[in-house]
Amino acid sequence: MNTEPLQPLEAEVETVSVSDFRFDGGAATYWGTGLLAAIITVFTLGLGYPFALVLLERWKAKHTYIEGRKLKFNASAWGLIGRWILWVFLTIITLGIYSFWVQPRITRWKIEHLEFDATSTADNPAPAEGRSDVPAFRFDGGAATYWGTGLLAFLVTIFTLGLAFPFALVLKLRWKAKHTYIEGRQVSFDGTGFGLFGNWLKWMFLTLITVGIYSFWIQPRLIKWSVEHQSLS
């Protein structure tokens, strides 16, 4: 007969991995916001684009969480419109050459006007105190690498008749992450073209068999996939 004392059973604790980045935006609010942004842009002949951009960026930030902290887009369209008019003017007088600098500058403006929402809840803790001299969000990408990456992504998409779009998107997302810093930590992107390719084919098929109706869900799902494959180093 075994007289050894019974060892207490230790409860197994399941470790749940929580993604650094989370996105919960849906198709209805995305398209509602997008439609309003399109109307503003069209009816102002492009001059109201800053107002449309702010609408979309506020929507995206509202639905994005980093390490449990909700984002907030703190810029106003009035803060961009002066520069937007200048950029359009410079693009015209340089016969389009200055446009190569516009998109990287807009990307920087969008990223560096993000902040963590001060509202604190159980699921959305307030940010920890950090160095006041370090911007919470910083971007250092330039025009040369932006357009080099963009040209390669364009060629990949065109020469595969759109089938390789997931690989082109990943190229651009990796470039953006490489040049983005949050509280001094570099953002990394771990998504792959192969990881998105299956979903992309499925979404295209569903769009075809629903006569385009399913396309309303594709962009929000692409945004979700793009956001949730990011992490902080």
mmCIF file of all heavy atoms in Angstrom, residues 141-159:
data_model
loop_
_atom_site.group_PDB
_atom_site.id
_atom_site.type_symbol
_atom_site.label_atom_id
_atom_site.label_comp_id
_atom_site.label_asym_id
_atom_site.label_seq_id
_atom_site.Cartn_x
_atom_site.Cartn_y
_atom_site.Cartn_z
ATOM 1 N N GLY A 141 9.569 59.014 -41.351
ATOM 2 C CA GLY A 141 9.673 58.559 -42.739
ATOM 3 C C GLY A 141 9.811 59.717 -43.707
ATOM 4 O O GLY A 141 9.234 60.786 -43.495
ATOM 5 N N GLY A 142 10.578 59.506 -44.785
ATOM 6 C CA GLY A 142 10.801 60.555 -45.777
ATOM 7 C C GLY A 142 10.219 60.205 -47.131
ATOM 8 O O GLY A 142 9.736 59.086 -47.368
ATOM 9 N N ALA A 143 10.297 61.183 -48.043
ATOM 10 C CA ALA A 143 9.680 61.035 -49.365
ATOM 11 C C ALA A 143 10.351 59.945 -50.201
ATOM 12 O O ALA A 143 9.677 59.188 -50.908
ATOM 13 C CB ALA A 143 9.716 62.369 -50.106
ATOM 14 N N ALA A 144 11.684 59.864 -50.153
ATOM 15 C CA ALA A 144 12.401 58.923 -51.023
ATOM 16 C C ALA A 144 12.004 57.475 -50.737
ATOM 17 O O ALA A 144 11.649 56.724 -51.653
ATOM 18 C CB ALA A 144 13.904 59.109 -50.857
ATOM 19 N N THR A 145 12.059 57.086 -49.473
ATOM 20 C CA THR A 145 11.714 55.702 -49.143
ATOM 21 C C THR A 145 10.219 55.443 -49.282
ATOM 22 O O THR A 145 9.799 54.341 -49.626
ATOM 23 C CB THR A 145 12.164 55.352 -47.715
ATOM 24 O OG1 THR A 145 11.611 56.313 -46.792
ATOM 25 C CG2 THR A 145 13.673 55.360 -47.605
ATOM 26 N N TYR A 146 9.402 56.491 -49.042
ATOM 27 C CA TYR A 146 7.956 56.322 -49.199
ATOM 28 C C TYR A 146 7.615 55.993 -50.640
ATOM 29 O O TYR A 146 6.882 55.049 -50.923
ATOM 30 C CB TYR A 146 7.221 57.591 -48.771
ATOM 31 C CG TYR A 146 5.742 57.542 -49.094
ATOM 32 C CD1 TYR A 146 4.847 56.882 -48.253
ATOM 33 C CD2 TYR A 146 5.240 58.127 -50.265
ATOM 34 C CE1 TYR A 146 3.498 56.815 -48.563
ATOM 35 C CE2 TYR A 146 3.891 58.061 -50.576
ATOM 36 C CZ TYR A 146 3.019 57.411 -49.722
ATOM 37 O OH TYR A 146 1.689 57.330 -50.030
ATOM 38 N N TRP A 147 8.149 56.782 -51.571
ATOM 39 C CA TRP A 147 7.814 56.569 -52.974
ATOM 40 C C TRP A 147 8.508 55.349 -53.556
ATOM 41 O O TRP A 147 7.989 54.707 -54.468
ATOM 42 C CB TRP A 147 8.119 57.824 -53.784
ATOM 43 C CG TRP A 147 7.092 58.874 -53.511
ATOM 44 C CD1 TRP A 147 7.236 60.007 -52.776
ATOM 45 C CD2 TRP A 147 5.729 58.853 -53.932
ATOM 46 N NE1 TRP A 147 6.054 60.704 -52.699
ATOM 47 C CE2 TRP A 147 5.106 60.024 -53.408
ATOM 48 C CE3 TRP A 147 4.961 57.977 -54.692
ATOM 49 C CZ2 TRP A 147 3.763 60.325 -53.625
ATOM 50 C CZ3 TRP A 147 3.620 58.276 -54.916
ATOM 51 C CH2 TRP A 147 3.044 59.427 -54.393
ATOM 52 N N GLY A 148 9.679 54.990 -53.038
ATOM 53 C CA GLY A 148 10.324 53.750 -53.479
ATOM 54 C C GLY A 148 9.474 52.550 -53.104
ATOM 55 O O GLY A 148 9.221 51.652 -53.927
ATOM 56 N N THR A 149 9.002 52.544 -51.870
ATOM 57 C CA THR A 149 8.138 51.459 -51.412
ATOM 58 C C THR A 149 6.802 51.480 -52.157
ATOM 59 O O THR A 149 6.284 50.431 -52.565
ATOM 60 C CB THR A 149 7.884 51.589 -49.897
ATOM 61 O OG1 THR A 149 9.125 51.629 -49.208
ATOM 62 C CG2 THR A 149 7.052 50.428 -49.377
ATOM 63 N N GLY A 150 6.250 52.678 -52.324
ATOM 64 C CA GLY A 150 4.967 52.798 -53.014
ATOM 65 C C GLY A 150 5.033 52.352 -54.454
ATOM 66 O O GLY A 150 4.104 51.704 -54.963
ATOM 67 N N LEU A 151 6.138 52.679 -55.151
ATOM 68 C CA LEU A 151 6.295 52.269 -56.550
ATOM 69 C C LEU A 151 6.382 50.749 -56.653
ATOM 70 O O LEU A 151 5.749 50.136 -57.531
ATOM 71 C CB LEU A 151 7.552 52.914 -57.143
ATOM 72 C CG LEU A 151 7.882 52.526 -58.589
ATOM 73 C CD1 LEU A 151 6.752 52.926 -59.528
ATOM 74 C CD2 LEU A 151 9.200 53.176 -59.024
ATOM 75 N N LEU A 152 7.158 50.130 -55.770
ATOM 76 C CA LEU A 152 7.263 48.672 -55.787
ATOM 77 C C LEU A 152 5.910 48.027 -55.513
ATOM 78 O O LEU A 152 5.511 47.064 -56.182
ATOM 79 C CB LEU A 152 8.295 48.213 -54.742
ATOM 80 C CG LEU A 152 8.508 46.701 -54.619
ATOM 81 C CD1 LEU A 152 8.930 46.103 -55.953
ATOM 82 C CD2 LEU A 152 9.546 46.398 -53.539
ATOM 83 N N ALA A 153 5.168 48.584 -54.540
ATOM 84 C CA ALA A 153 3.840 48.055 -54.220
ATOM 85 C C ALA A 153 2.896 48.203 -55.408
ATOM 86 O O ALA A 153 2.106 47.296 -55.718
ATOM 87 C CB ALA A 153 3.276 48.785 -53.002
ATOM 88 N N PHE A 154 2.989 49.330 -56.108
ATOM 89 C CA PHE A 154 2.149 49.572 -57.285
ATOM 90 C C PHE A 154 2.448 48.553 -58.388
ATOM 91 O O PHE A 154 1.534 47.977 -58.991
ATOM 92 C CB PHE A 154 2.385 50.998 -57.790
ATOM 93 C CG PHE A 154 1.694 51.307 -59.088
ATOM 94 C CD1 PHE A 154 0.331 51.570 -59.113
ATOM 95 C CD2 PHE A 154 2.413 51.351 -60.277
ATOM 96 C CE1 PHE A 154 -0.311 51.860 -60.315
ATOM 97 C CE2 PHE A 154 1.789 51.644 -61.474
ATOM 98 C CZ PHE A 154 0.422 51.901 -61.496
ATOM 99 N N LEU A 155 3.725 48.328 -58.646
ATOM 100 C CA LEU A 155 4.113 47.381 -59.693
ATOM 101 C C LEU A 155 3.667 45.963 -59.357
ATOM 102 O O LEU A 155 3.190 45.224 -60.232
ATOM 103 C CB LEU A 155 5.630 47.428 -59.905
ATOM 104 C CG LEU A 155 6.186 48.741 -60.476
ATOM 105 C CD1 LEU A 155 7.703 48.703 -60.504
ATOM 106 C CD2 LEU A 155 5.629 48.995 -61.868
ATOM 107 N N VAL A 156 3.826 45.583 -58.093
ATOM 108 C CA VAL A 156 3.397 44.248 -57.656
ATOM 109 C C VAL A 156 1.899 44.068 -57.893
ATOM 110 O O VAL A 156 1.444 43.017 -58.362
ATOM 111 C CB VAL A 156 3.729 44.036 -56.165
ATOM 112 C CG1 VAL A 156 3.007 42.815 -55.608
ATOM 113 C CG2 VAL A 156 5.230 43.886 -55.972
ATOM 114 N N THR A 157 1.120 45.103 -57.584
ATOM 115 C CA THR A 157 -0.336 45.024 -57.751
ATOM 116 C C THR A 157 -0.731 44.991 -59.226
ATOM 117 O O THR A 157 -1.545 44.167 -59.642
ATOM 118 C CB THR A 157 -1.015 46.225 -57.066
ATOM 119 O OG1 THR A 157 -0.630 46.254 -55.680
ATOM 120 C CG2 THR A 157 -2.525 46.121 -57.150
ATOM 121 N N ILE A 158 -0.149 45.888 -60.027
ATOM 122 C CA ILE A 158 -0.515 45.999 -61.442
ATOM 123 C C ILE A 158 -0.156 44.741 -62.230
ATOM 124 O O ILE A 158 -0.972 44.210 -63.001
ATOM 125 C CB ILE A 158 0.163 47.232 -62.072
ATOM 126 C CG1 ILE A 158 -0.436 48.518 -61.488
ATOM 127 C CG2 ILE A 158 0.016 47.222 -63.595
ATOM 128 C CD1 ILE A 158 -1.912 48.703 -61.774
ATOM 129 N N PHE A 159 1.054 44.242 -62.050
ATOM 130 C CA PHE A 159 1.513 43.114 -62.857
ATOM 131 C C PHE A 159 0.897 41.781 -62.452
ATOM 132 O O PHE A 159 1.070 40.778 -63.137
ATOM 133 C CB PHE A 159 3.047 43.017 -62.833
ATOM 134 C CG PHE A 159 3.702 44.033 -63.723
ATOM 135 C CD1 PHE A 159 4.242 45.194 -63.188
ATOM 136 C CD2 PHE A 159 3.768 43.852 -65.095
ATOM 137 C CE1 PHE A 159 4.824 46.150 -64.005
ATOM 138 C CE2 PHE A 159 4.353 44.796 -65.924
ATOM 139 C CZ PHE A 159 4.886 45.956 -65.376
#
